[in-house]
Amino acid sequence: MSIWKAIFLGLLQGFTEFLPVSSSGHLAVAQNFFGFDSSQSVSFTVLLHLGTLAAVCIMYRRDVWMLLKGFFTLVGKLCSGRLRREGLQNGERLFLLLALATLPLLPAVFLEEYVESLSAVSWAVGVLLLLNGAILFISDKLAFGTESLETAGPGKALLVGVVQMFAIFPGISRSGSTITGGLFAGFRREDAVKFSFLLSIPAVLGANVLHITDVVSTGIDTSPIPAYILGVAAAAVSGYLSIRLVRMVADKGKFGAFCYYCWAAGILTLVLTAIQ
């Protein structure tokens, strides 16, 4: 793999992973109509995801540290029987909310082959891009909620998790759908955005764990290590920048530009399908 291709794939991964325009939908359209070859080694794919994961951890480093501490203190309380007496602290509560919101993704493991086959159906991807635009349009119209992550109950986290499950389909953005789900649940916009990006941590880690066996079976090619390093760095930097952009846009309640873009991309996909 060339260095320039690695950097390009890293930038593509970083920006589309967090911008609410659906990276999977764009890659499917590029492959179906323009012959774009996004194939790469499984090990490099895992590394790119770790690059975007690093971007989330850097942006929300205080929350991530609180989550790590919360996990260990929660385990300690469970083992010592202190949970009922002392209750939950913020980090422990947030950890449980994220774990609960991740549960609806478990059935997605059994849908992986179906989702991959759906990516080859161009008109379906076009329709899903139109739907993604509608989701973003609706999110702009939702009233500002008052619920914070410190007071949210399990039902609200589960609602966001159920909405996230639909983002496995090419054309539906994970960040866009989970932010909108958080707003539906009554979260404040800043909390809906934070919960969405923190929720990407278990989602990315889970996807990488599923591909560990593929990495072991195919082996790791060490010859393009410089390209790998630059690609991962590009994914981390572009991921960090895209998170900042989404936070700024969400704070203003202006997902309109992204929604119109998704509608245009969806219509173009349907037109290309019709004339193909």
Side-chain angles (χ1 to χ4, degrees):
M1 178 183 297
S2 70
I3 288 179
W4 293 114
K5 181 179 180 180
I7 292 175
F8 171 76
L9 291 173
L11 292 173
L12 183 66
Q13 172 69 27
F15 280 119
T16 59
E17 178 75 17
F18 299 117
L19 294 181
V21 296
S22 177
S23 59
S24 59
H26 281 68
L27 287 174
V29 171
Q31 288 173 329
N32 295 343
F33 293 115
F34 307 111
F36 174 76
D37 181 16
S38 64
S39 61
Q40 51 199 285
S41 70
V42 177
S43 55
F44 185 54
T45 301
V46 170
L47 289 173
L48 288 183
H49 280 95
L50 292 178
T52 54
L53 181 64
V56 177
C57 292
I58 293 171
M59 176 63 73
Y60 292 103
R61 53 192 176 276
R62 293 180 180 176
D63 297 282
V64 171
W65 177 241
M66 184 175 65
L67 279 171
L68 290 174
K69 291 193 298 182
F71 168 75
F72 288 108
T73 57
L74 181 60
V75 171
K77 287 181 178 180
L78 288 173
C79 294
S80 63
R82 293 182 290 114
L83 180 60
R84 178 174 296 183
R85 184 175 65 254
E86 299 181 8
L88 294 172
Q89 301 300 318
N90 285 343
E92 298 162 354
R93 169 183 286 274
L94 183 56
F95 176 83
L96 289 177
L97 290 177
L98 291 173
L100 186 60
T102 303
L103 287 179
L105 278 183
L106 295 180
V109 176
F110 304 100
L111 298 175
E112 185 175 4
E113 291 185 5
Y114 172 76
V115 172
E116 288 180 356
S117 64
L118 186 63
S119 298
V121 184
S122 300
W123 66 265
V125 177
V127 171
L128 289 169
L129 283 169
L130 293 175
L131 178 59
N132 190 66
I135 292 172
L136 298 177
F137 181 81
I138 292 172
S139 72
D140 274 356
K141 306 304 179 183
L142 294 175
F144 286 80
T146 58
E147 191 75 73
S148 69
L149 294 178
E150 288 75 22
T151 60
K156 295 182 182 298
L158 188 59
L159 173 60
V160 178
V162 170
V163 173
Q164 180 181 223
M165 184 175 63
F166 293 98
I168 66 174
F169 297 104
I172 303 297
S173 163
R174 196 207 64 83
S175 62
S177 59
T178 51
I179 290 173
T180 303
L183 295 176
F184 264 117
F187 285 122
R188 297 179 302 187
R189 283 191 175 267
E190 60 268 29
D191 286 293
V193 173
K194 179 189 290 187
F195 193 67
S196 169
F197 287 128
L198 290 177
L199 193 55
S200 71
I201 296 176
V204 171
L205 286 177
N208 282 351
V209 168
L210 290 176
H211 288 98
I212 285 179
T213 55
D214 296 329
V215 173
V216 173
S217 61
T218 58
I220 300 177
D221 183 7
T222 58
S223 59
I225 285 181
Y228 281 8
I229 293 174
L230 291 174
V232 172
V237 172
S238 57
Y240 181 86
L241 293 175
S242 63
I243 292 174
R244 290 186 65 90
L245 177 60
V246 171
R247 288 178 60 178
M248 180 181 67
V249 171
D251 286 343
K252 297 180 179 179
K254 299 295 183 182
F255 272 130
F258 294 123
C259 98
Y260 293 127
Y261 172 81
C262 287
W263 283 338
I267 292 173
L268 178 60
T269 301
L270 293 177
V271 170
L272 291 175
T273 302
I275 64 177
Q276 190 178 33

